[in-house]
Every structure is written in structure tokens, then in C-alpha cells.
Amino acid sequence: MARSVDEANSDIARIEHTPFGPARTQAAITEVARVSADGPEQCLAYALNVLISSYVFSSEQEKAYVPFAQLVQWYDTRPDLFDEKDHYDLQWAFKWMVNGLAAFPNVSAERIETAIADMESRFAVDGIGAKTVLRSRYFWTLHRSGLAAAEPYFRKWLTTANDEVFGSECPLCTCNTNVFHRVEAGDWEGALALFDAALNDPENPSRCFQEPAVMASSLMLWLVGRGLPGDDERARSMYRRVREQVDDSPGDFLAPIARCIQFLAVTGHPQETLRYLKKNSQWLVKAESPLERLKFISRVAGALRLLVEYYGLGDTAVQFVEVPANTVAQLYSSLAAEAQSIAAAFDARNGTDTVSQRMRRALAVEPTGRVLDFSIQLDPDTELPERPDFLPPDDQNVFNTLDTLGAPPPDATAASVSFATSGSTPEQEAQAVLDSADDMARRGNISGALSQYLNAATAYRNIGRLQDAGFAYAEAAAHTYNLSDVATAVQLFDKALGILYAVDTPLPYLIPIIDRQLSALLDTGQRSAATALVTDFETRMQAALAEVARKLPPAGRTDDNSSQDGLVQQWLLEAQARGEMLRSRLVAELGDTATAAQLAERAGERLAEFGNINVACEAFRIAGDLLRSIPDDHAVYCYESAMEAAELLRQRERYVAIGDLLVNFLLKRGHEKEANELARRITRW
């Protein structure tokens, strides 16, 4: 039975309101086919627009050109079937699609010119101003012929009013175009002035989707290369700001990520370069267009060239999923050759060597000749801990033995750090500092939060509240880790855990801290210390469970404390299951993916039994990810289990995100029918 217009619109709307990803895209593909075959024809424009946006915002823009061509043809044939929303979405689609044509070398220059002219004439008919078209002509001409040819379009764009149809442009995005033009012209000081003015304007937002990360990532490289007094500190501050925005975002930040990799290489941090590349290794095998891939791999290859030629790390082993390279030198050679091939394809299309010139500049990046210090300057009172017993001797070199853990001596005062307010007690003063740190962390002021957490830890130690001091040190360690000072983070985590273990803090409270400490140790290659960390926690947990078991009466008997002891036992058993997730991460890092997946799945099953559905969901998702990487079809069961948990929690975005992973896996394994059925189920939540 054919659907009514309302029924079809309702089905398409469910897809439109699903988060972008493989599930939404697959459902949109199915819906376009269904409407094209069975109608109603009044809904075809809506279905095509949803499919186009699904492709564009899932980093698959190249696939969007076929439905876009269908949409334009349908509008030219039956404009009467486009309502106001359909027409508005078509205008936006023109803006996305025409601007993206230049990113594909198989699209001829003539076709791009024709598309821009077509957009210009259509926008004129619709009463849309010239600003969008001028920006398209500027970037296309700059890409093809360079700055001199593009300059007139930039000047016209700069003085043309915004197009009312598309609304006022984001001031940070507008600033990006201005900064980009200054950078292309070599006017770095002018670019920096524009950047500062935009960020200091109280009328502007502090950030948007990609800014200020994109602008700052360019400027930090210039500053550290110029090397005037104060430049290194400013560059370091920009780098940290970029990392804060990029690392916490699910979006595609290929340009800032690649520049961060370059920044680490040119400032004397080759090992951190490899660690950050590993963290973002998925972008070595995918990008939304050949041009974006060229920009990314050119910058990465430039960083890798330094690792090979300047730091002598060419023989260092690397292993990235779907990347056919076993050493740094092999990866550099492979990426450099691919970059040259892609650039040559663009040059052939453009009839110029502009793209190859940019590619060669990225490959030719040079080191600054000095090491930029990323270490966090700790307060003098923030001594490093004695070496915890659970850490093996082969990692001693990263620690200093300075103080013993415990309460401060009787004559200790708050002289080293003072937060006194009129009439407040030391406890209130410490709490006020901690509240300030939490507030800064919520607002994204990571550097300020770090400083305040350290101050809070000192204040709590001064009044003998060591457990609170330990947790404050753990927060400081986490923020230090986020600011790329992994070595100091490791030491602060050690201090936190040493204090918290010393005052018999319940083990379940320590799992998040151990999880972050494990990340820091693995990031710095300290596998023996990581193994000791997890093993020590497991040993302590077994001892705690044995102790509580001794307190429980024999089966069939009860006493006044048995109920409470039973609850403690359940709490510890649940924490033990969470500890299996730590072991899973460690085993995966050591290369045994199958065993790691089994551990994660078992943890998920145990946590579900204990009623901790939230963490069980994460454990099943991790198991699915590990099995997908092998690949093993048992990943389907694990992902389905994770989706079931997310559904029980009524967490739709999480449900869709896990579903996207499963849809993608099913498609790669050739199970298109199952993928389509799953996509439909996801969009009908």
C-alpha cells in the first residue's frame, strides 16, 4: 500500500532527526530509493536533501554529488513540488556542493566554472546576494592560480554585505577567511592582529565549531618558527588551546591535528609526535576529499621527515590499522609519494603547479633547533612522591624521591598557599579553592583549573585532609595530561594514588584515576609500570574481597552486620569487573586483541548482572571495537549488547553512535540487508 505524503514525510523526518553517521546515511539511501520507486513524488526533494546532508556531514561529500544532481534536475523539472523548506535546503546544498567541487581532481576546471556560474545565476533569480558566490570564486581561484589572481575576489567579498538567506556569518569564521588570506600573502603579523582582535572582542563567541583552533594552529607554527622573545610562550599557549578544542570534539579537525603533529616535531618532541599521530591514526586512511587528504598527509609527512632525518628515528617501529608501513621511514616514504601523486593530479586538472608548491612547502618544514618546554611549572610545595611499591625498578628514572606521604608536621601552616577570607575556616578556604578549580574546568580554562587544583591539594594537605588532597592531585594530574605534559602527569598521578592508598580510600573510587594513569603510562611507553599498576590494583581488590568475605557469616546464618558486609562485597565485585576493563586495555596495548576483547565482554556481562548498565554499555562497545579490528563477526553480538544497554538507559545519541559502528561493520563485511534493517531500526527510535 502506497504511503500518504504525511506518512512519507514522517518517515523522512525520523531520518533527518537522527545524528549524522552511517545509520542515518544508509536509512536515507533506502528512503530515496523507496520514494523514487513508489512515491509520493511530493516527498522526493525532502528525501534527496536529507541524503545530501547525511553524506556531507558524515565526511562522504563525494557521494553527495549524485543525489545533488538529481535534486537540481528535479527542481528544474518540477519546481512546483518544492515547498519553502525544500527550496531553502536546495540553496544550502548549492553552497556546500559547489564549494566542494575543487577538492576532487577528477572534476574538470570547466565543470567547476560552470557550477559557480550556475549558482550565481540561480542565486540572482532567488534574490540572494553575491557574497557566497564571491567566496566560492576566491577559494577556487586561489586554489588553482594563487594569491595574485584571487585578490580581486577577496577584496569584493570583504566589502559585500552578507546574504540574508544564509544569515550573518559567524564572526570567527569570517575572521578565518581574513586570517587565511593574510597568511597566504605572508602577512603573519597582520594575521595575528586580526586573530587577537576577534578573540578579544566581547561581542564574539569564544569558539565555534572549528574556531579558533584552525586559525591558532597556523599561527602557532609561525610564532615558534619566528622565535622572538615571548613567541615560544605564545605558541605553547595556542597549542594547548588547539588541543583543548580538538581533543574534546567529535568533529573532523584534520588541519589542526596535522599542524599539532608538525608543531611537536619542529619543537623537539619526536616521541610525542608519534604518540599524537597514533591517537589520530584513523585519518591516515580516510578523509572527506582528496584535497583534505593531501593537506593532512603532506603535513604529517613533513613531520615524519624530521623524525627520520633530524632525530634519527627512521627505524622506529609503527603499527597503524590499514596502514602498510612498519617503520617511521616507510610511513614517511609512503605518505610523501602519495602526496606527490595527489598534487600532480590537481596540477593536471588546474593547469598550474600551485597545489604542488603548497605540498612541497609542507614537506620541507624545518625544526626550530630548540626544545619547547611543555612541562607544567609546579608550585614549590608540590613535591614529587616517593616511588610507590607497586612500580618496578626499571622505570625509576622518571621519578624523584623527595617527600614522604602523610600528614604535615605539627608546625605546618598555610604559608605556602593562602586563600584566607574574612572569618572563613581553613576547611572553607580549601573548599572555595576546589570550587574555583571545578568552575574553571567546566568553562574550559584547563590551565587555570590545573593551578587551582594544585592549590586545593596543598590547602587540604596543610589541614591534614589527605584523601581530599589526593583527589585534588588526581584532578591536577588529569589536566596536566590534557596539556601534553605527560611526564609530570605520571608523577602527579603517582602522588595522588600514593596518598589515596595510604589513607585506605575505598578501591572503587580509585578506578577513574587508575584509568587515566594507565593512559599516561602507555602513552609514554612504560609498559612494565602500566602492568604493575593494574596488577597492584587487582591484588588489592582480591585482598579487600577476601577481607569482607571473612566478615560474612556462614551460609544460612545472619548477624547484625551481614547485610552491610554483603552490600560492600557486591560493591567490590562490581569494581573488580570494572578492573577487568583496565586489564583489557593493557592486554590490547600489548597486542593480544582477542584476549582483550574477551576481557571487555566478560566485564560487560558481569557489570550488567550487577545492574551497572552504563559501564556495561561501554565495556560491550570496547569489545566490539576490538573484535571489529581483527575482524571477528562476534563484534555484532557485542555491539548489539551495547545498543541494548544504551536503549535501556534511554541514551539516544549513544545508541545511534554505537549503531553507526555496527552499520559500518556490517557493510564492510558485505551484509547490506542487515545493515539496512539496522539503520531503519535506529532511525525509528
Side-chain angles (χ1 to χ4, degrees), residues 588-602:
E589 180 68 22
L590 297 176
D592 190 351
T593 305
T595 300
Q598 290 173 0
L599 287 166
E601 182 181 354
R602 186 173 68 185

Side-chain angles (χ1 to χ4, degrees), residues 299-310:
R299 293 174 179 127
V300 172
L304 292 173
R305 181 183 63 80
L306 295 185
L307 268 58
V308 173
E309 298 178 1
Y310 189 77

Side-chain angles (χ1 to χ4, degrees), residues 13-309:
R14 288 193 184 97
I15 300 171
E16 185 180 30
H17 295 139
T18 300
F20 294 109
R24 169 179 165 143
T25 301
Q26 203 64 25
I29 292 170
T30 302
E31 191 59 46
V32 166
R34 186 180 181 188
V35 174
S36 297
D38 303 325
E41 62 182 3
Q42 295 94 325
C43 300
L44 181 57
Y46 187 15
L48 286 168
N49 272 314
V50 169
L51 178 56
I52 292 166
S53 64
S54 298
Y55 278 134
V56 169
F57 293 102
S58 297
S59 299
E60 294 185 295
Q61 181 157 339
E62 186 171 15
K63 295 180 181 179
Y65 286 104
V66 171
F68 175 65
Q70 290 177 267
L71 181 66
V72 173
Q73 183 180 28
W74 187 235
Y75 179 75
D76 290 343
T77 304
R78 294 294 306 273
D80 57 301
L81 296 179
F82 282 63
D83 62 19
E84 184 177 353
K85 181 182 184 303
D86 295 332
H87 190 209
Y88 178 75
D89 289 345
L90 170 63
Q91 292 167 335
W92 270 102
F94 255 102
K95 186 175 181 179
W96 297 332
M97 303 309 295
V98 173
N99 288 342
L101 284 171
F104 299 91
N106 58 327
V107 178
S108 69
E110 293 74 19
R111 182 180 169 190
I112 295 171
E113 295 283 1
T114 300
I116 295 175
D118 186 32
M119 179 171 67
E120 184 175 30
S121 63
R122 289 174 184 272
F123 280 13
V125 170
D126 291 338
I128 300 175
K131 198 172 185 75
T132 297
V133 175
L134 285 169
R135 190 174 187 274
S136 297
R137 289 196 182 280
Y138 165 67
F139 279 111
W140 161 237
T141 307
L142 183 68
H143 164 81
R144 184 185 190 189
S145 305
L147 185 69
E151 181 75 25
Y153 295 118
F154 175 77
R155 294 299 168 193
K156 290 180 182 177
W157 170 84
L158 202 60
T159 57
T160 300
N162 287 326
D163 303 325
E164 290 186 6
V165 170
F166 301 117
S168 298
E169 291 189 8
C170 165
L172 293 183
C173 293
T174 299
C175 181
N176 169 278
T177 303
N178 280 292
V179 166
F180 178 81
H181 185 76
R182 295 292 183 100
V183 168
E184 285 290 312
D187 181 12
W188 288 95
E189 291 184 353
L192 182 61
L194 287 170
F195 175 82
D196 287 340
L199 264 63
N200 292 329
D201 188 338
E203 297 297 318
N204 290 346
S206 60
R207 66 163 62 176
C208 65
F209 177 63
Q210 288 195 318
E211 297 299 345
V214 174
M215 292 185 285
S217 63
S218 286
L219 293 167
M220 69 188 187
L221 283 165
W222 169 70
L223 283 167
V224 81
R226 185 175 69 167
L228 294 179
D231 281 353
D232 281 1
E233 178 58 37
R234 184 77 195 278
R236 178 169 50 239
S237 176
M238 284 188 176
Y239 169 76
R240 286 171 173 164
R241 183 165 191 167
V242 172
R243 286 288 300 269
E244 287 172 15
Q245 184 172 358
V246 169
D247 293 354
D248 291 338
S249 171
D252 299 352
F253 282 83
L254 265 66
I257 289 170
R259 291 178 186 135
C260 283
I261 292 169
Q262 275 195 336
F263 186 79
L264 291 166
V266 303
T267 57
H269 298 278
Q271 295 300 334
E272 182 64 22
T273 302
L274 289 175
R275 284 192 289 272
Y276 194 59
L277 177 58
K278 180 180 179 180
K279 180 178 180 178
N280 293 283
S281 59
Q282 72 270 27
W283 304 119
L284 290 173
V285 294
K286 69 175 184 178
E288 66 178 23
S289 70
L291 185 60
E292 288 302 306
R293 175 157 183 79
L294 173 62
K295 292 176 180 178
F296 183 77
I297 65 174
S298 296
R299 293 174 179 127
V300 172
L304 292 173
R305 181 183 63 80
L306 295 185
L307 268 58
V308 173
E309 298 178 1

Side-chain angles (χ1 to χ4, degrees), residues 413-455:
T413 68
S416 59
V417 54
S418 177
F419 315 103
T421 57
S422 178
S424 61
T425 66
E427 288 80 5
Q428 290 171 331
E429 293 165 9
Q431 184 62 49
V433 179
L434 184 63
D435 291 343
S436 171
D438 289 340
D439 181 62
M440 288 181 176
R442 281 191 296 270
R443 290 187 283 109
N445 183 357
I446 304 302
S447 300
L450 164 61
S451 177
Q452 286 295 75
Y453 280 124
L454 289 172
N455 288 338

